């Protein structure tokens, strides 16, 4: 109609008029398009209200006329307009409710609505699944609830803003922890539940970790303290209280670090500073620093501390205080020992050199340089063993010895053995050497000049050979004399026995006594001569033994009996320990 063309935003030609989306709002264009489609297919007439993009309200009629369809738009006025506006608003509200219901129904969290009496009015799909109910009607009829009111613990009541409840329930056979938010509404009481089971488990796990870390830190000898961004003490272990002599109960009240520093200063347990305020400000500047800081504090009581301050990732500062008094003392002692060791090595007559795992010289004393004729400038550059061998090869012509020396120093075998011996150089000097592989892979070598000793040994050896020759002459002489003396002694013993047996006539008492003395002395002398002959026979390697089976126990008992009187005079005892299978042995009983 002409009045329709007068409405702003409505097209004037037919083609644009049929482009519903071009001049209607989205909902109206969708509604009229669907109505026209139904009219085309089924002949179903329609009468609906539409809204233009400019906010004007129109009425649309559609009906079939033979093989054609008639579509009429006209403006609405008066009471009819008011009624149609109400219908349009109702339709929009219904669409919004439908969208909101659909949104809530697809929400992953349970959402439900109850009236003031607690009757279930509506619940989404997540609630139905959690309550294991098919639909709302059956759940409402059976009084099914996700969580009973008596199982809900009130955490927070914000009045009109709502309440927060905490509850435990079983969902699909598993115990779950829920935070339930409640909000009063004209429609009733709206609830939505958040599953915080995983968060609660993480919180408990975190609590256990914190407890374990606290217990671990409390067992440390290193003092640890943590302050938050407001400089309040958050944590301190036992070592911290013991180090500073502070009351643990006072520390548990979370004092400010400024108060702690003031108290430590009053107790005389902070480093002496000319301007304490300036020192404290510098110390507290760590709260605005980006990197860690390490200082050494020397306290008035003689202790020395290593103080490490590190910014905390969540704000604040972590302090670590380590008492290094004993460490510094030991380091000083160690340095002193190294100095003594160096002086000792430098004054040794023995040449000492230490080679590293890479075969390079790491340590040496002046005697080593002197023995091998090496200058300090060459040794200062930590030469490799190959360089040392190259310089000193003319002094020792034995290539095999140099190879053994190099292998001992640079060999990678775990079964490296100590190499020791004596080497004679081309300059007539003689060295004793010991090559010792150390557990850390290094090799210690020591060299001792024994040239004078070697000369003395040679002289002693020559003298010993001369003495051995003389001893042999002496043995030969004694053996010859023994044989010469044995013959007349045998005759003397034989004649004395004949006289004692009265073969030459009877003897008086005095004569018999003399004869027996002659016989006994001759026998003793014969025994000495036999011993000398045995010794010479042993030395000549010609001793013949009279071997026979002997009782081992009896032999040992006889030996023990013979030794017992002399042992007892020295307050000693002898004990026989005889194996079970030591029955007999084959030996010469006399010898």
């Amino acid at each position: 109609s002409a009045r329709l063309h007068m409405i702003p935003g409505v097209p004037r030609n037919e083609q644009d008029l049929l482009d519903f989306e071009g001049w209607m709002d989205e909902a109206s264009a969708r509604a009229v398009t669907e109505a026209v489609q139904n009219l085309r297919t089924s002949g179903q007439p329609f009468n609906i209200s539409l809204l233009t993009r400019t906010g004007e309200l129109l009425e649309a009629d559609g009906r079939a006329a033979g093989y054609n369809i008639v579509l009429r738009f006209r403006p609405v006025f008066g009471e009819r307009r008011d009624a149609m506006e109400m219908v349009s608003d109702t339709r929009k509200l219904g669409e919004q409710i439908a969208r909101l219901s659909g949104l809530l129904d697809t929400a992953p969290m349970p959402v439900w609505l109850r009236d003031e009496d607690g009757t279930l009015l509506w619940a989404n799909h997540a609630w139905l699944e959690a309550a294991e109910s098919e639909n709302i009607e059956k759940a409402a009829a059976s009084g099914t609830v996700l969580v009973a009111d008596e199982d809900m613990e009130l955490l927070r009541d914000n009045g009109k803003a709502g309440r927060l409840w905490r509850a435990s329930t079983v969902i699909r056979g598993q115990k779950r922890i829920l935070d339930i938010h409640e909000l009063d509404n004209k429609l009733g009481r709206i609830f939505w539940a958040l599953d915080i089971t995983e968060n609660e488990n993480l919180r408990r796990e975190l609590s256990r970790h914190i407890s374990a870390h606290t217990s671990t830190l409390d067992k440390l000898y290193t003092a640890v303290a943590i302050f938050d961004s407001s400089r309040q003490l958050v944590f301190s272990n036992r070592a911290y209280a013991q180090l500073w002599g502070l009351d643990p109960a006072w520390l548990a009240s979370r004092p400010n670090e400024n108060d702690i520093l003031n108290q430590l200063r009053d107790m005389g347990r902070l480093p002496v500073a000319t301007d304490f305020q300036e020192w404290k400000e510098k110390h507290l500047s760590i709260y605005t620093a980006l990197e860690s800081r390490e200082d050494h504090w020397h306290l008035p009581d003689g202790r020395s501390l290593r103080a490490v301050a590190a910014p905390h990732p969540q704000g604040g500062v972590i302090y670590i205080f380590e008492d290094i008094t004993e460490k510094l003392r030991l380091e000083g002692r160690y340095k002193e020992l190294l100095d003594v060791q160096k002086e000792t090595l430098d004054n040794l007559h023995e040449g000492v050199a230490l080679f590293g795992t890479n075969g390079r010289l790491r340590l040496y004393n002046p005697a080593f340089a002197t023995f091998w004729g090496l200058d300090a400038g060459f040794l200062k550059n930590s030469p490799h063993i190959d360089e040392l061998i190259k310089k000193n090869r003319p002094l020792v012509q034995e290539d095999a010895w140099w190879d053994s020396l190099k292998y001992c120093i640079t060999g990678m075998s775990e079964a490296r053995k100590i190499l020791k011996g004596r080497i004679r150089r081309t300059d007539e000097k003689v060295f004793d050497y010991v090559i010792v592989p150390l557990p850390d892979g290094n090799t210690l070598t020591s060299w001792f000049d024994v040239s004078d000793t070697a000369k003395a040994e040679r002289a002693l050896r020559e003298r010993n050979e001369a003495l051995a020759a003389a001893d042999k002459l002496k043995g030969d002489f004694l053996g010859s004399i023994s044989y010469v003396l044995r013959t007349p002694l045998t005759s003397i013993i034989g004649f004395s026995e004949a006289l004692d047996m009265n073969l030459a006539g009877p003897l008086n008492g005095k004569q018999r006594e003399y004869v027996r003395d002659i016989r006994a002395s001759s026998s003793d002398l014969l025994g000495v001569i036999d011993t000398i002959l045995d010794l010479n026979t042993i030395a000549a390697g010609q001793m013949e033994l009279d071997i026979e089976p002997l009782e081992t126990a009896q032999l040992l008992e006889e030996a023990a009996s013979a030794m017992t009187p002399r042992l007892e005079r020295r307050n000693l005892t002898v004990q026989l320990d005889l194996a079970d299978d030591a029955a007999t042995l084959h030996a010469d009983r006399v010898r």
Side-chain angles (χ1 to χ4, degrees), residues 34-62:
E34 184 178 350
V36 170
Q37 182 66 26
N38 290 334
L39 179 60
R40 287 180 184 276
T41 57
S42 62
Q44 181 179 355
F46 63 88
N47 179 267
I48 58 176
S49 60
L50 304 173
L51 192 65
T52 67
R53 288 184 178 273
T54 58
E56 294 295 332
L57 186 64
L58 303 177
E59 182 180 11
D61 281 321

Side-chain angles (χ1 to χ4, degrees), residues 409-424:
I409 294 176
T410 60
M412 300 299 292
S413 173
E414 295 182 359
R416 293 190 301 162
K417 296 182 179 180
I418 296 176
L419 178 65
K420 59 173 64 177
R422 176 171 292 184
I423 190 70
R424 182 181 296 276

Side-chain angles (χ1 to χ4, degrees), residues 413-462:
S413 173
E414 295 182 359
R416 293 190 301 162
K417 296 182 179 180
I418 296 176
L419 178 65
K420 59 173 64 177
R422 176 171 292 184
I423 190 70
R424 182 181 296 276
R425 303 194 325 190
T426 55
D427 58 0
E428 297 301 323
K429 287 196 173 186
V430 181
F431 286 97
D432 279 347
Y433 61 89
V434 179
I435 314 298
V436 182
L438 301 180
D440 58 0
N442 295 330
T443 306
L444 180 67
T445 67
S446 60
W447 311 83
F448 192 76
D449 189 347
V450 294
S451 303
D452 296 335
T453 305
K455 293 178 181 178
E457 288 180 355
R458 190 182 304 112
L460 289 175
R461 191 179 300 108
E462 292 173 354

Side-chain angles (χ1 to χ4, degrees), residues 1-12 17 23 52 57-59 72-75 77:
S1 65
R3 288 184 296 177
L4 180 65
H5 294 162
M6 296 172 61
I7 298 175
V10 178
R12 295 184 179 274
L17 189 64
W23 59 280
T52 67
L57 186 64
L58 303 177
E59 182 180 11
R72 178 182 297 174
F73 298 96
R74 60 175 175 266
F77 302 97

Side-chain angles (χ1 to χ4, degrees), residues 354-373:
L354 180 69
F355 290 87
T357 54
N358 58 357
R360 290 190 171 275
L361 182 66
R362 297 184 57 184
L363 177 69
Y364 68 94
N365 65 347
F368 175 79
T370 302
F371 287 167
W372 291 104

Side-chain angles (χ1 to χ4, degrees), residues 64-240:
Y67 291 101
N68 298 320
I69 62 173
V70 178
L71 180 62
R72 178 182 297 174
F73 298 96
R74 60 175 175 266
V76 183
F77 302 97
E79 293 180 358
R80 186 174 178 82
R81 179 183 179 89
D82 295 338
M84 295 194 71
E85 285 181 348
M86 185 177 296
V87 171
S88 178
D89 292 341
T90 302
R91 178 170 55 81
K92 290 181 179 179
L93 181 59
E95 291 176 351
Q96 290 179 355
I97 292 175
R99 286 195 297 268
L100 181 59
S101 298
L103 179 64
L104 292 177
D105 198 46
T106 57
M109 69 187 72
V111 181
W112 67 100
L113 176 65
R114 290 171 20 182
D115 60 16
E116 294 298 330
D117 297 331
T119 302
L120 181 67
L121 301 178
W122 178 86
N124 67 347
H125 185 69
W127 186 94
L128 293 174
E129 281 192 349
E132 299 181 0
S133 182
E134 294 182 7
N135 52 56
I136 298 174
E137 290 76 15
K138 287 186 178 181
S142 62
T144 302
V145 295
L146 183 62
V147 181
D149 291 345
E150 58 270 17
D151 294 335
M152 294 168 55
E153 176 188 358
L154 183 62
L155 298 182
R156 185 173 64 249
D157 189 348
N158 295 332
K160 293 183 179 180
R163 288 169 290 277
L164 176 63
W165 304 85
R166 175 71 54 82
S168 296
T169 187
V170 176
I171 298 177
R172 291 186 288 275
Q174 295 183 353
K175 184 177 180 181
R176 313 301 293 179
I177 302 174
L178 304 177
D179 269 357
I180 302 174
H181 297 264
E182 178 187 357
L183 184 64
D184 291 334
N185 190 275
K186 293 180 181 180
L187 300 176
R189 296 159 61 195
I190 302 175
F191 299 87
W192 63 92
L194 297 176
D195 190 339
I196 63 166
T197 308
E198 300 302 328
N199 292 344
E200 192 67 15
N201 291 338
L202 290 175
R203 187 187 64 78
R204 292 173 181 172
E205 185 68 20
L206 177 61
S207 178
R208 285 194 293 269
H209 278 296
I210 292 175
S211 299
H213 291 165
T214 301
S215 176
T216 301
L217 291 174
D218 270 341
K219 295 175 183 177
L220 293 178
Y221 292 107
T222 302
V224 179
I226 303 176
F227 293 83
D228 61 17
S229 56
S230 61
R231 302 181 183 178
Q232 296 292 126
L233 180 64
V234 177
F235 169 81
S236 64
N237 63 352
R238 295 178 186 174
Y240 181 81

Side-chain angles (χ1 to χ4, degrees), residues 315-572:
V317 178
I318 301 175
Y319 290 106
I320 300 175
F321 296 97
E322 181 184 1
D323 190 342
I324 58 173
T325 308
E326 184 65 15
K327 178 182 177 182
L328 293 178
R329 189 188 69 81
L330 292 176
E331 285 180 353
R333 179 62 178 163
Y334 178 70
K335 185 177 182 302
E336 180 183 346
L337 290 175
L338 286 180
D339 292 340
V340 172
Q341 183 186 55
K342 184 177 183 304
E343 288 297 322
T344 303
L345 288 176
D346 287 349
N347 290 281
L348 282 178
H349 182 64
E350 182 180 5
V352 177
L354 180 69
F355 290 87
T357 54
N358 58 357
R360 290 190 171 275
L361 182 66
R362 297 184 57 184
L363 177 69
Y364 68 94
N365 65 347
F368 175 79
T370 302
F371 287 167
W372 291 104
L374 302 171
D375 60 86
F378 172 75
L379 296 175
K380 185 179 180 181
N381 295 325
S382 300
H384 193 270
I385 183 62
D386 287 338
E387 300 177 57
L388 293 174
I389 293 175
K390 183 177 180 181
K391 267 187 168 293
N392 294 284
R393 187 176 292 275
L395 294 175
V396 179
Q397 300 294 335
E398 299 178 19
D399 293 339
W401 182 81
W402 287 114
D403 292 340
S404 299
L405 175 64
K406 179 180 177 180
Y407 177 77
C408 282
I409 294 176
T410 60
M412 300 299 292
S413 173
E414 295 182 359
R416 293 190 301 162
K417 296 182 179 180
I418 296 176
L419 178 65
K420 59 173 64 177
R422 176 171 292 184
I423 190 70
R424 182 181 296 276
R425 303 194 325 190
T426 55
D427 58 0
E428 297 301 323
K429 287 196 173 186
V430 181
F431 286 97
D432 279 347
Y433 61 89
V434 179
I435 314 298
V436 182
L438 301 180
D440 58 0
N442 295 330
T443 306
L444 180 67
T445 67
S446 60
W447 311 83
F448 192 76
D449 189 347
V450 294
S451 303
D452 296 335
T453 305
K455 293 178 181 178
E457 288 180 355
R458 190 182 304 112
L460 289 175
R461 191 179 300 108
E462 292 173 354
R463 182 177 180 184
N464 185 61
E465 292 173 355
L467 290 175
D471 186 65
K472 183 177 183 305
L473 291 175
K474 179 189 70 175
D476 294 342
F477 173 74
L478 289 177
S480 175
I481 293 299
S482 298
Y483 281 112
V484 172
L485 293 177
R486 185 180 180 85
T487 301
L489 276 177
T490 301
S491 300
I492 293 173
I493 292 172
F495 285 124
S496 62
E497 288 178 351
L499 292 174
D500 190 32
M501 294 172 63
N502 295 323
L503 296 179
L507 301 175
N508 57 33
K510 197 66 172 176
Q511 290 173 336
R512 189 174 298 280
E513 182 180 351
Y514 289 159
V515 168
R516 288 179 178 175
D517 290 340
I518 292 170
R519 183 180 175 184
S521 297
S522 299
S523 297
D524 291 341
L525 182 58
L526 184 59
V528 171
I529 292 173
D530 288 341
T531 300
I532 294 173
L533 290 174
D534 285 347
L535 292 176
N536 287 335
T537 304
I538 292 173
Q542 298 177 355
M543 170 63 71
E544 293 183 2
L545 300 178
D546 184 11
I547 303 299
E548 60 178 328
L550 302 175
E551 291 293 331
T552 306
Q554 182 181 356
L555 275 178
L556 291 178
E557 288 173 359
E558 291 176 359
S561 298
M563 295 167 63
T564 297
R566 285 179 290 171
L567 292 174
E568 288 179 347
R569 288 196 296 271
R570 293 173 173 79
N571 295 323
L572 300 174

